Amino acid sequence: MANFRLASDEALAARAAAMRPLFRRRGFAAPLAGECFAIVGEAASRTLGVRHFPSQMMAGWALLLGRLVEMETGEGKTLAATLPACAAALAGVPVHVITVNDYLAQRDAAAMEPLYRFFGLSVGTVTQGLTRHEKREAYRRSIVYCTNKELAFDYLRDGVTRSGRRSRLHFSLDRLRGEASADDAPVLRGLHFAIVDEADSVFIDEARTPLILATDAGDKEEAEVLRQALTLAAQLEEGVDFIIDLAVRDCALTGAGCKRLASATRDFEGVWRSAREREERVTHALTAMRLFHRDQHYVLADGKVQIVDEYTGRVLADRSWERGLHQMIEIKENCEPTQRRETLARLTYQRLFRRYVRLSGMTGTAREVAREIRSVYGLDVVRVPLNRPSQRRYVPPRLCATKAEKWREVAECVAGLVRDQSIPVLIGTRSVLASEEVSALLRERGIDHALLNAKQDEAEAAIVASAGAAGRVTVATNMAGRGTDIRLCDGVSQLGGLQVVLTEYHDSARIDRQLYGRCARQGDPGGCHTIVSLEDDLFVSNSPWLVGGALRFLSADGLRWPFVLRLLKLRSQAVAEARNSQQRMTNLRRDRRLEQMLAFSGPSE
């Protein structure tokens, strides 16, 4: 290390370049990788003004070996990823650094680019809105920062483009004949080495839903048929004509409902003549009316229905629900219905990431799902120790009977922290609607605050950057809980540090821990407050019978509140996690069947 510190920039870069043939002959052997990491660490101090901690060196080595690294929030995963990324890129291996949104991909690529440029490595960024030509150029770079969704859909589009005839040989022959089109060429150049940031979100949370590439089916779904379906659905009675399962977000017609629907459409023409067609459309109408809610599952922007990602709180532009559900919601909201979509290809994250030659990941919360990650992706979880001891403090949780009472408690808690002590507060919510309810209550009390949700995601950097200022209050959906750093301003540490308020438990305790992890980073002080209610969706959907019992305990004996809340939380999250795990396993079994299909059975995607 001392020799590297004395070396000139040119000598250091030349030494790194000389390691390429060594990597190719010996692989990522420990002595060779250690020397490379030392060079990268010295270059980082010169180009970025920071040096890797020992814990980040440990994480980098585990990533290079193809492990999933668990580092506490705020321990510097972004910088740790530069170690294996540089080593692999210097060896000539294309590297994909994959994160959960465009903002993080652009931010991390821009922040780390000076380090990569020091070694002559090129950096690309793949985000939403780029043309195929722009993406193709980006993927040709040594190290590419991209989002999991853009990568997956680029992979699907490449597969559709070459479907049945577009092998590398076919493209070469087309070029020789002068028949090749630039848009037909694949944008990806293979799946070699991936470093997945926020890996538990990508591998677990988002792996429940297959990714579907679709195109316009040609004709618009008749708006009149959609309106008729909504009208008919409004006439049906819950519990008699249909039943709702909130836990799995599903509606189903009963036998009585099917008979009532047949009677109501006796004089209708067209699709209403078919029992299957009319029942499917009315079921979609019930689903749109009862299970999909504005400012929770979607928002209205520019007269369009925009899906909100339930894991990040961000708008998923140009995405739609399948089988006519999206058009049904558009009619419900009095929007112009878009064209129905026809599936071209589908893919799950389980199937995509298992195709990388070398796969690794990093996250702050993985131990709860370590067994599933090992079973599905073949990744062992390695826990990296803290660089500095944690000073996070947990305030005993509070359980309220109703949501209205909960929001009042939240407002009082915030008022006490901000007005009396000028301590910065971050309030975490599960939905856009909840964030706006909190915001309205704070305004009524005269508490100045910033609001961060799917409707303000472009302002995320500025809002998050100021969340650690004295007396600052930030209300945010899940999107602010991952990947972005909240730095404490001068004097805030002496006040007790950032205080995080969790207002609703999530399906997984991992996501709760991610929100708590927004405070008390790198040895800073901070506090975690939990204020929830018996009307929260997690409790109502997964443990309705316990909610009634908890209400009796809540009103009869305040001393049992902590026990009741703990039981309710553990039971509800266990049910939700078991259901979600089963859904992921179903996707995995379907993927394995597709991979085992015989060649003459046709394309499997």
Side-chain angles (χ1 to χ4, degrees):
M1 284 293 292
N3 292 336
F4 292 146
R5 290 181 181 178
L6 297 175
S8 65
D9 289 356
E10 293 75 14
L12 203 62
R15 177 55 188 159
M19 301 187 77
R20 174 168 293 193
L22 300 178
F23 275 130
R24 290 186 171 180
R25 286 199 303 268
R26 296 163 53 188
F28 298 118
L32 194 59
E35 182 180 349
C36 181
F37 283 11
I39 294 173
V40 174
E42 177 60 28
S45 69
R46 300 183 186 187
T47 58
L48 305 178
V50 295
R51 190 176 295 276
H52 295 83
F53 301 132
S55 59
Q56 291 172 322
M57 290 284 186
M58 294 171 59
W61 173 238
L63 290 169
L64 192 60
L65 293 178
R67 306 286 191 268
L68 193 149
V69 173
E70 180 177 273
M71 296 178 72
E72 286 289 334
T73 306
E75 289 293 294
K77 292 188 287 293
T78 301
L79 186 61
T82 61
L83 296 166
C86 283
L90 287 170
V93 178
V95 178
H96 293 165
V97 182
I98 302 165
T99 188
V100 293
N101 62 63
D102 288 348
Y103 164 70
L104 294 178
Q106 292 170 327
R107 183 203 68 181
D108 294 350
M112 300 298 115
E113 186 170 11
L115 173 59
Y116 298 134
R117 295 291 184 190
F118 182 91
F119 298 110
L121 301 173
S122 56
V123 182
T125 307
V126 175
T127 55
Q128 184 176 298
L130 297 183
T131 65
R132 283 183 63 81
H133 172 72
E134 291 170 332
K135 288 183 177 181
R136 191 178 297 109
E137 290 301 311
Y139 281 121
R140 287 177 179 170
R141 306 294 175 87
S142 307
I143 300 168
V144 183
Y145 282 79
C146 57
T147 65
N148 52 310
K149 286 186 171 64
E150 287 302 314
L151 173 75
F153 281 111
D154 288 338
Y155 181 84
L156 280 175
R157 291 186 190 100
D158 282 351
V160 169
T161 299
R162 66 173 183 266
S163 179
R165 58 181 180 85
R166 288 299 179 183
S167 66
R168 190 177 297 276
L169 176 60
H170 281 105
F171 281 117
S172 299
L173 291 173
D174 284 349
R175 280 196 296 269
L176 288 173
R177 291 195 297 261
E179 299 174 359
S181 168
D183 285 339
D184 285 344
V187 300
L188 287 163
R189 55 172 179 149
L191 303 178
H192 300 275
F193 180 33
I195 303 172
V196 183
D197 193 10
E198 309 299 351
D200 65 315
S201 176
V202 177
F203 291 161
I204 299 298
D205 298 328
E206 299 195 44
R208 288 163 46 195
T209 306
L211 294 148
I212 297 174
L213 183 66
T215 186
D216 291 338
D219 297 326
K220 286 188 177 181
E221 180 77 15
E222 298 87 349
E224 184 58 32
V225 172
L226 300 177
R227 292 189 179 91
Q228 287 175 328
L230 288 167
T231 301
L232 290 166
Q235 298 171 3
L236 301 180
E237 183 180 349
E238 182 179 354
V240 178
D241 301 314
F242 67 94
I243 55 176
I244 292 178
D245 189 339
L246 292 175
V248 296
R249 202 187 297 170
D250 181 63
C251 283
L253 291 171
T254 63
C258 292
K259 292 179 180 178
R260 183 172 179 179
L261 182 59
S263 176
T265 59
R266 184 180 297 111
D267 299 328
F268 287 23
E269 300 293 336
V271 297
W272 301 108
R273 292 287 190 180
S274 166
R276 179 176 177 275
E277 292 284 350
R278 65 172 174 258
E279 289 169 9
E280 180 177 339
R281 279 166 172 74
V282 171
T283 299
H284 281 164
L286 288 168
T287 302
M289 293 168 60
R290 300 299 190 100
L291 297 177
F292 285 81
H293 307 295
R294 187 198 303 184
D295 292 338
Q296 181 176 354
H297 304 108
Y298 62 90
V299 296
L300 296 183
D302 301 323
K304 297 180 180 179
V305 171
Q306 302 272 8
I307 298 175
V308 174
D309 189 325
E310 63 181 299
Y311 306 109
T312 66
R314 284 184 170 80
V315 168
L316 299 177
D318 300 323
R319 306 285 166 82
S320 63
W321 288 292
E322 62 177 334
R323 300 177 62 189
L325 176 60
H326 198 89
Q327 289 71 31
M328 195 70 72
I329 294 175
E330 287 172 329
I331 291 293
K332 182 187 79 170
E333 295 292 349
N334 296 315
C335 297
E336 180 68 22
T338 57
Q339 288 183 306
R340 286 184 295 109
R341 309 286 284 174
E342 181 180 273
T343 298
L344 293 178
R346 59 183 290 140
L347 180 71
T348 60
Y349 284 125
Q350 294 97 321
R351 194 175 187 193
L352 171 66
F353 287 109
R354 286 185 296 142
R355 292 185 173 181
Y356 271 93
V357 176
R358 187 182 295 261
L359 176 65
S360 64
M362 50 189 183
T363 181
T365 49
R367 59 178 177 266
E368 294 94 338
V369 289
R371 180 178 297 179
E372 182 174 338
I373 288 175
R374 177 69 183 87
S375 172
V376 175
Y377 300 97
L379 294 178
D380 292 319
V381 174
V382 176
R383 297 187 65 184
V384 174
L386 292 170
N387 183 52
R388 295 174 182 170
S390 174
Q391 295 189 52
R392 186 174 298 130
R393 183 176 62 91
Y394 292 90
V395 177
R398 281 174 271 181
L399 176 63
C400 303
T402 65
K403 286 185 178 181
E405 182 183 340
K406 175 180 71 173
W407 298 134
R408 287 195 297 270
E409 286 276 351
V410 169
E412 289 176 10
C413 172
V414 173
L417 291 169
V418 176
R419 288 177 175 168
D420 299 343
Q421 306 174 59
S422 296
I423 298 177
V425 179
L426 172 65
I427 305 171
T429 66
R430 284 193 64 172
S431 68
V432 174
L433 180 61
S435 69
E436 294 184 340
E437 287 178 347
V438 177
S439 177
L441 198 56
L442 294 178
R443 281 198 303 271
E444 289 178 6
R445 291 175 176 252
I447 299 175
D448 188 35
H449 62 280
L451 176 63
L452 179 61
N453 59 35
K455 296 181 179 180
Q456 292 88 26
D457 58 352
E458 293 181 0
E460 176 174 346
I463 294 175
V464 172
S466 60
R472 182 74 168 180
V473 178
T474 307
V475 181
T477 48
N478 291 344
M479 72 169 79
R482 307 209 69 157
T484 52
D485 199 17
I486 300 176
R487 300 185 183 277
L488 301 183
C489 295
D490 293 340
V492 171
S493 292
Q494 289 72 27
L495 297 173
L498 178 68
Q499 304 295 303
V500 170
V501 181
L502 182 146
T503 61
E504 186 173 355
Y505 289 120
H506 298 79
D507 285 359
S508 172
R510 288 181 297 104
I511 305 178
D512 297 334
R513 287 204 292 126
Q514 290 155 15
L515 181 61
Y516 292 143
R518 304 309 303 150
C519 69
R521 295 178 160 210
Q522 286 291 335
D524 288 334
C528 302
H529 306 253
T530 302
I531 305 174
V532 296
S533 83
L534 291 175
E535 293 181 346
D536 290 346
D537 290 345
L538 177 72
F539 301 150
V540 173
S541 299
N542 297 287
S543 300
W545 59 276
L546 267 178
V547 170
L551 187 60
R552 290 193 294 273
F553 276 103
L554 194 62
S555 59
D557 189 351
L559 296 177
R560 299 187 184 182
W561 291 6
F563 167 78
V564 171
L565 177 56
R566 178 171 175 78
L567 176 63
L568 192 57
K569 173 182 179 293
L570 291 176
R571 163 69 184 177
S572 300
Q573 288 184 331
V575 171
E577 276 285 60
R579 181 181 64 253
N580 295 338
S581 178
Q582 179 60 40
Q583 194 170 354
R584 293 190 295 268
M585 290 300 103
T586 299
N587 288 338
L588 181 59
R589 285 192 294 270
R590 184 181 296 115
D591 272 354
R592 286 173 174 165
R593 285 199 300 271
L594 288 172
E595 289 177 348
Q596 294 168 359
M597 291 173 67
L598 296 177
F600 59 74
S601 66
S604 60
E605 295 181 353

